[in-house]
Amino acid sequence: MKIAILADVHANLEALEAVLVAVEKERADRILCLGDIVGYGPDPLGCIYRLKEVKAQTVLGNHDQAMVEPSYIQSFNRLARPSLYHAREVLGEEEIDYLSRASLRRIEYNAVFAHANPLKPEAWEPLHMHDKIMWCFERLDWSLCFVGHTHEVGIYCKLHNRPLPLTSTTVAIGAHQYLINVGSVGQPRDGDWRASFALWDLDRQYVELQRVEYPIQRTQRKMVEYDFPVYLTERLAKGE
Ligand code: ZN
């Protein structure tokens, strides 16, 4: 059994399509999406449509929550708001319903899946500080934890009561506890513009992080057409 885990698609259909092709090549049996399907990008409808089509199971992200509770859009910064209003306009009842049915976290096998901190998922607390990751490690009942939200790929291993960041892109699951940030499909912020996702091979017990290229200019052109903030369009190419 292979599960593909993707997060922070952010309405980037070109990036999502490239990831779905890679997932297909890897013969993954299932797709799990860690939220933030909408926001920032130009294709919220297309992304939800494709994820439904491949029967992805999804947990809720903070941008998705803004679709279910539109008054929440006000709490986002001025860069995020235009794309969220655009998404709310183009999504139909069916898509809003799909998002509203997403849970705040999932537990399967020996793993927990959430958009942000899985121990208080409704707080949308990002996990990029070591003390936050350690706080999680001390309380996690599962040997694996998959998250997104920060748009920065990372594998952390709990070793001698400290979170040790690993530099490899593949990790054999076994003796230790791991927290894995699968990075972002549609708006990576770790200096690499390519779409990011993870594959969990449950038979061979390893997790692999992958990056795939996609036709970025096509996404950027649509963002310009929709008059989204220039910074959002430019950051895609820089991966920041
Ligand atoms: Zn996000």
Side-chain angles (χ1 to χ4, degrees):
M1 159 84 92
K2 261 190 197 176
I3 303 179
I5 303 142
L6 33 128
D8 297 282
V9 172
H10 282 300
N12 186 333
L13 187 59
E14 288 73 25
L16 177 63
E17 289 295 359
V19 165
L20 292 180
V21 168
V23 165
E24 174 96 36
K25 262 193 219 156
E26 292 286 348
R27 298 178 183 278
D29 301 280
R30 286 173 50 204
I31 297 173
L32 248 160
C33 172
L34 302 185
D36 274 6
I37 302 172
V38 306
Y40 297 130
D43 282 306
L45 189 66
C47 289
I48 293 178
Y49 181 80
R50 283 296 281 135
L51 287 168
K52 281 175 78 176
E53 200 172 49
V54 295
K55 298 186 170 48
Q57 288 148 315
T58 185
V59 295
L60 197 73
N62 50 324
H63 289 249
D64 307 325
Q65 195 195 11
M67 296 299 100
V68 183
E69 288 172 52
S71 61
Y72 184 50
I73 297 178
Q74 296 290 342
S75 69
F76 283 80
N77 65 38
R78 58 176 186 84
L79 284 173
R81 282 197 299 262
S83 58
L84 287 171
Y85 285 123
H86 166 258
R88 195 63 179 81
E89 237 175 77
V90 298
L91 296 189
E93 223 171 279
E94 224 176 281
E95 291 80 34
I96 303 285
D97 185 55
Y98 174 76
L99 295 177
S100 67
R101 277 185 282 111
S103 55
L104 281 167
R105 73 173 187 191
R106 271 183 95 84
I107 294 158
E108 286 192 47
Y109 306 100
N110 53 344
V112 61
F113 303 85
H115 184 62
N117 183 343
L119 293 160
K120 33 180 176 174
E122 67 292 336
W124 311 117
E125 186 180 72
L127 293 175
H128 32 209
M129 305 301 285
H130 278 204
D131 55 341
K132 292 267 185 244
I133 294 170
M134 198 56 225
W135 185 93
C136 273
F137 270 141
E138 279 162 358
R139 290 159 180 84
L140 281 173
D141 290 329
W142 309 276
S143 33
L144 274 171
C145 170
F146 290 96
V147 297
H149 195 40
T150 66
H151 301 205
E152 290 171 10
V153 158
I155 302 178
Y156 297 87
C157 172
K158 185 186 177 189
L159 203 66
H160 307 304
N161 281 319
R162 292 221 321 261
L164 177 76
L166 305 183
T167 48
S168 67
T169 52
T170 307
V171 65
I173 305 303
H176 302 289
Q177 219 175 8
Y178 295 93
L179 186 143
I180 298 166
N181 191 317
V182 303
S184 168
V185 170
Q187 195 203 67
R189 294 178 194 161
D190 50 11
D192 184 343
W193 65 273
R194 297 172 303 164
S196 175
F197 72 101
L199 273 171
W200 179 18
D201 190 319
L202 283 91
D203 304 316
R204 296 191 180 88
Q205 277 303 299
Y206 72 84
V207 175
E208 185 191 359
L209 297 167
Q210 286 196 21
R211 302 301 282 246
V212 287
E213 295 189 1
Y214 69 94
I216 190 168
Q217 287 90 351
R218 212 178 291 170
T219 317
Q220 289 175 313
R221 264 201 303 275
K222 290 188 231 173
M223 290 168 81
V224 171
E225 260 167 51
Y226 287 137
D227 217 11
F228 287 172
V230 178
Y231 173 70
L232 284 185
T233 313
E234 288 176 350
R235 80 187 297 181
L236 278 191
K238 298 180 194 154
E240 68 176 28

